Amino acid sequence: MPWSEVMTPVRMRRVAIVAPHAALRETLVLIADAGCVEIDRIDGPGHGARGATLRLRRLRTEPAEAVLSAAAPDLTSLERAGRAELLAGEAQLEERADSAVVRGATAALAGWCPADEAPRLAERLAYVGGVLVPLKVPRGVDPPTLMRASGAPGRSFSQLVTTYGTVPYRDIAPSWPAGIVYLVMFGVMFGDAGHGLLLLLAALLLYLRLPRRLASLHGMWPLVAGAGLASVLAGIAYGEFFGPTGVLPVLWLDPLDQPKRLLASAVAFGGLLLALAYAAGTVNRWREGGPSTALYAASGIAGSGLFLGLALAAAGVYLHGGAITMAGAAIAACGLGLAGTGMFVASGGGFAGTVQTGVQLFDTVVRIGSNLVSFARLAAFGLTHAAIGQIVWHGTTALAHGGPGALVAAVLLFVVGNAVAFALGALVAGVQALRLEFYELFSRVFEAQGRPFRPWHVPVQRTEVTP
């Protein structure tokens, strides 16, 4: 699959489903079985509860899952037999049938369907005399969003984005980059090769659906495995294996010996991620509102220029380069001017608009600095994890030299201490990586909310159900 498709939602097609009114039920059964069409619902006079819906209410039973009968069943017999699942399926079918526009002997429904699924659905509908007709997208209406999720890792990574919100249909959907960034940040804060191996073991158990009571978490195994691998790699770089046990040499830096270097690296990494977030935000603003929106948006070209200018100015001050500082200040001023123009126009102008623009510009500049510094928590929690590991290891070695009884205590301290460090570190790293991704990165990439694609799907029972 091309990378451009991986980074965008599934392409949707506006469709009309036209069928003989006498074959409307058979058509809806095929649509429900295919599960790839979101049918527009029409609520109005005459569309109240009736038929299967009333019978289902009289049963006062909530079915675990709605089921449709391939052949039209006798609703009275279903009520007498207590078949709540079949009545629930018929009730859903009645609701969709009520949304059909009927003209003579023809009925029509409108909705959305993934473009790749449309040909197969049209072929199935032809068996009952139905036709799938492509329509133009109504002006001012965005199609619903369906995230691409190829493979188990893709599904896990897309959940990181959908947890934040529904991606607008026109925006890029950076599921894979978001997933990779999340795992890297997790590994930096949870850098211990031994603890990472435990996460890999946990991922294997989830993949095997063991223990059975955690089988519902099976879909998380790629994310847990990725976090474990990132932690192992970071632990090898730090020389940490269940703490500073000396099993692994330090390949990059020891967090407790070189905290400043770790802190600077975390902030620099955060600056790179913010630059990428501004680039993605610029693309999204362009897709949402065209070049003018992208130019003046604080998360578009204006914000990108402000961020780049401030970064160059800071680098010039650090390197004592006057030319770099001046160039950065000029770029930042241009970005600030563009952002201010956009904010002033959006505020409606006048004195109140001027005050509002000033406050928003101040907030934008402060947010850039605070968001950049916020990535220092990668180093802070990495240091905390390493410090806990060092305390546990020093206590273990001190007890190990105290005799046979003390040796048992040393082993107990090592096991319990690492269990506490593992649980606390994994919880903190998981939450903080998610927080950085949501508030520092996604807040620039996304400004609007889309509408999720909700296809109608009901399993179809092919066996005879009428007594």
Side-chain angles (χ1 to χ4, degrees), residues 212-464:
R212 295 299 180 186
R213 65 177 181 274
L214 298 180
S216 60
L217 302 178
H218 168 78
M220 293 183 60
W221 76 264
L223 202 60
V224 177
L229 179 60
S231 302
V232 168
L233 295 177
I236 293 174
Y238 297 159
E240 296 277 330
F241 185 83
F242 293 109
T245 55
V247 174
L248 297 174
V250 177
L251 294 184
W252 178 43
L253 59 81
D254 185 328
L256 297 178
D257 287 344
Q258 297 175 291
K260 291 183 179 179
R261 184 180 174 188
L262 181 61
L263 180 64
S265 300
V267 174
F269 179 61
L272 174 62
L273 293 181
L274 285 174
L276 294 175
Y278 272 114
T282 299
V283 173
N284 282 346
R285 300 299 87 74
W286 192 295
R287 291 186 172 191
E288 293 166 0
S292 60
T293 300
L295 180 63
Y296 295 107
S299 59
I301 296 174
S304 301
L306 177 59
F307 175 76
L308 176 62
L310 292 176
L312 285 176
V317 172
Y318 180 77
L319 299 173
H320 303 288
I324 298 177
T325 303
M326 293 298 294
I331 295 174
C334 290
L336 199 65
L338 289 173
T341 301
M343 293 173 183
F344 182 76
V345 172
S347 67
F351 177 75
T354 303
V355 174
Q356 179 179 332
T357 300
V359 173
Q360 288 178 324
L361 287 176
F362 178 77
D363 176 71
T364 300
V365 175
V366 171
R367 279 188 62 201
I368 289 177
S370 62
N371 291 160
L372 183 61
V373 173
S374 185
F375 282 92
R377 70 186 64 216
L378 295 175
F381 291 113
L383 285 168
T384 301
H385 191 65
I388 295 175
Q390 185 182 69
I391 293 172
V392 172
W393 179 243
H394 285 177
T396 300
T397 54
L399 287 174
H401 298 291
L407 183 60
V408 175
V411 173
L412 184 63
L413 175 62
F414 183 78
V415 173
V416 174
N418 271 282
V420 172
F422 176 89
L424 184 62
L427 176 63
V428 169
V431 171
Q432 292 301 324
L434 197 63
R435 183 217 174 275
L436 286 170
E437 195 148 65
F438 280 6
Y439 292 100
E440 271 64 47
L441 303 179
F442 286 176
S443 62
R444 288 171 170 79
V445 177
F446 306 114
E447 281 194 349
Q449 287 286 323
R451 181 175 67 83
F453 176 62
R454 294 189 174 94
W456 180 47
H457 175 60
V458 180
V460 176
Q461 180 174 295
R462 304 292 178 183
T463 56
E464 182 67 34

